Amino acid sequence: MNMKYYLNILWMYLLFINLTAIGQTSEERNIISQELPKNIYWSQILSNEISCFIVGFQDDDAVLYNLKSNSSNIISSVGKKMFAFMSNDEVFFGSLGNSIATDSLGKKVLKFDFNGKPKGVTNILGIGLITNYSFNPNTKDILYVTINFDGYMEGKSNGRMEGNIFTSKHSRPIIKFEYIQSPPPLRIVLPIVAIKEKIYLAFDNKYNISVYSKSGKIIGSFTYPDFKPQPYSKSEIDLLSHMQKSVVQEGITYPPLIKKIDISDDGKIFVTRYPRPGSVKLIVDVFNATSKYLNTLEFHLDKNEKLIDACLISKDKYACLLSSDNSTSIIRIYKFKNI
């Protein structure tokens, strides 16, 4: 056996068994890290108890990369949908942004099986800026969030962002909400997840997650008890894009907080915080099924990597979709001890 063989073995060991300390749990393990095919706009991780896919878009087609089989399926002619979510056996594609009465294409959600066979179309009934979707596996219903963004930006709402949660079965919202949002909002995607009898909705400007019943009744809210919001520092602002720099102020403007909400099979709630500029830590707070704080996980990214999406893919595995400075997309999976 030559030196090249031993170097390859060492490289594989460093790639798959990289151990580092994390938060209040004892360790994280980076168990896989691989580049995704180029020339595809990789945007999301979708996972359920059966399957895990990386979703990408190329022209008017979508790509489903199966993380378990390392194979891809092309879903043709989804148009400019650019947002996906899934059930146990189907994948949905919908539009984000303004949905108006005359926009027939934007007001439809397309449904396919995992092999790309069309399974139908669902009409979207609510009017407003659509910011997120979720699928409730118990009610078999699509939920989506809309906000009155135009009125807010025109200064007609006194800083109160008004929103609604619709289901695909009704033309009237099951939930109406509002929250204070200091302008300008740097990100208006409000994370939502519907599971069993509950709907969880996170707001953009503070660590607060509202919990509703499936019929829209407010049940309560929760937060990470020791969270202390901090505005942008000068060094963080220096790392923002030119457009972002023009609308934020040091010591005044706060960055977006919550990136994602996931619910594990045993009811635990995983809240992924949005990384601060320049940070190499991805922080995930864990709560039990009654919203009691349990623990915090810290996943370490490489320098110059940016988070695209993140997702709990099993009770002890967490996946990150990342982009690097050389326009490479990477999927990295971490394993943590059961909480």
Side-chain angles (χ1 to χ4, degrees):
M1 296 185 183
N2 57 30
M3 181 62 69
K4 183 177 180 181
Y5 171 82
Y6 287 108
L7 288 175
N8 285 335
I9 293 297
L10 177 60
W11 180 84
M12 291 296 292
Y13 177 83
L14 293 175
L15 179 62
F16 291 103
I17 314 295
N18 180 28
L19 298 178
T20 56
I22 66 171
Q24 298 176 32
T25 58
S26 59
E27 66 179 23
E28 74 180 21
R29 280 200 299 135
N30 171 1
I31 61 173
I32 187 171
S33 184
Q34 66 185 65
E35 293 186 6
L36 294 170
K38 295 183 181 295
N39 301 319
I40 296 173
Y41 173 69
W42 298 103
S43 62
Q44 290 175 252
I45 306 171
L46 301 183
S47 180
N48 57 30
E49 58 190 28
I50 301 171
S51 306
C52 183
F53 297 99
I54 314 301
V55 181
F57 295 91
Q58 189 175 42
D59 299 323
D60 284 340
D61 299 334
V63 181
L64 286 186
Y65 181 85
N66 191 318
L67 200 56
K68 294 183 179 179
S69 65
N70 290 322
S71 60
S72 297
N73 284 332
I74 304 297
I75 299 181
S76 301
S77 303
V78 301
K80 303 301 181 183
K81 292 299 187 184
M82 305 302 283
F83 189 88
F85 52 104
M86 70 188 296
S87 66
N88 279 343
D89 53 5
E90 294 169 328
V91 59
F92 304 83
F93 294 92
S95 297
L96 300 179
N98 278 311
S99 176
I100 59 177
T102 57
D103 182 10
S104 59
L105 181 63
K107 290 174 65 63
K108 296 181 184 298
V109 171
L110 309 180
K111 181 168 58 175
F112 300 84
D113 66 19
F114 294 152
N115 294 317
K117 181 180 178 180
K119 301 291 287 185
V121 175
T122 298
N123 290 321
I124 296 301
L125 305 172
I127 303 300
L129 187 77
I130 299 178
T131 70
N132 216 332
Y133 296 87
S134 180
F135 181 83
N136 191 325
N138 296 88
T139 63
K140 309 298 182 183
D141 200 12
I142 297 170
L143 287 83
Y144 53 102
V145 184
T146 70
I147 58 174
N148 180 14
F149 188 63
D150 291 340
Y152 170 80
M153 291 303 291
E154 291 170 2
K156 298 178 180 179
S157 60
N158 296 320
R160 293 184 179 274
M161 190 80 83
E162 300 174 347
N164 302 285
I165 298 177
F166 289 86
T167 75
S168 53
K169 297 176 181 177
H170 304 286
S171 60
R172 291 180 293 181
I174 62 167
I175 296 169
K176 293 185 177 182
F177 63 87
E178 65 175 30
Y179 65 102
I180 299 294
Q181 171 70 66
S182 299
L186 300 182
R187 187 179 63 104
I188 56 175
V189 176
L190 305 184
I192 182 176
V193 62
I195 189 74
K196 295 183 179 179
E197 302 298 313
K198 295 180 179 178
I199 301 168
Y200 299 85
L201 175 70
F203 299 112
D204 198 40
N205 63 327
K206 60 181 178 179
Y207 201 133
N208 181 64
I209 299 171
S210 294
V211 186
Y212 302 89
S213 71
K214 65 178 181 180
S215 62
K217 182 180 179 181
I218 185 71
I219 298 174
S221 63
F222 65 94
T223 185
Y224 170 49
D226 295 328
F227 179 77
K228 296 179 180 179
Q230 295 182 359
Y232 282 110
S233 66
K234 183 180 183 306
S235 60
E236 289 177 325
I237 293 176
D238 289 342
L239 297 173
L240 299 177
S241 68
H242 178 73
M243 181 176 293
Q244 289 173 322
K245 288 179 183 179
S246 67
V247 296
V248 302
Q249 292 180 286
E250 177 187 354
I252 296 176
T253 309
Y254 291 81
L257 291 179
I258 297 177
K259 172 72 174 176
K260 194 79 172 284
I261 307 171
D262 290 298
I263 312 293
S264 65
D265 291 341
D266 59 359
K268 291 188 181 71
I269 306 162
F270 289 70
V271 178
T272 303
R273 301 191 211 172
Y274 207 92
R276 295 183 71 97
S279 174
V280 295
K281 292 182 180 181
L282 182 63
I283 300 175
V284 182
D285 300 316
V286 187
F287 303 80
N288 68 12
T290 62
S291 307
K292 180 181 178 181
Y293 171 74
L294 296 176
N295 213 333
T296 293
L297 309 174
E298 288 187 5
F299 300 103
H300 294 259
L301 312 179
D302 290 343
K303 187 178 180 181
N304 299 322
E305 288 181 340
K306 294 183 179 180
L307 180 70
I308 302 173
D309 196 19
C311 185
L312 182 74
I313 61 174
S314 73
K315 65 180 181 180
D316 62 349
K317 292 185 180 69
Y318 191 83
C320 294
L321 177 60
L322 308 164
S323 64
S324 65
D325 280 354
N326 61 358
S327 300
T328 299
S329 294
I330 300 165
I331 184 68
R332 184 170 298 139
I333 299 176
Y334 300 88
K335 185 171 183 177
F336 55 88
K337 289 189 174 182
N338 289 339
I339 299 170

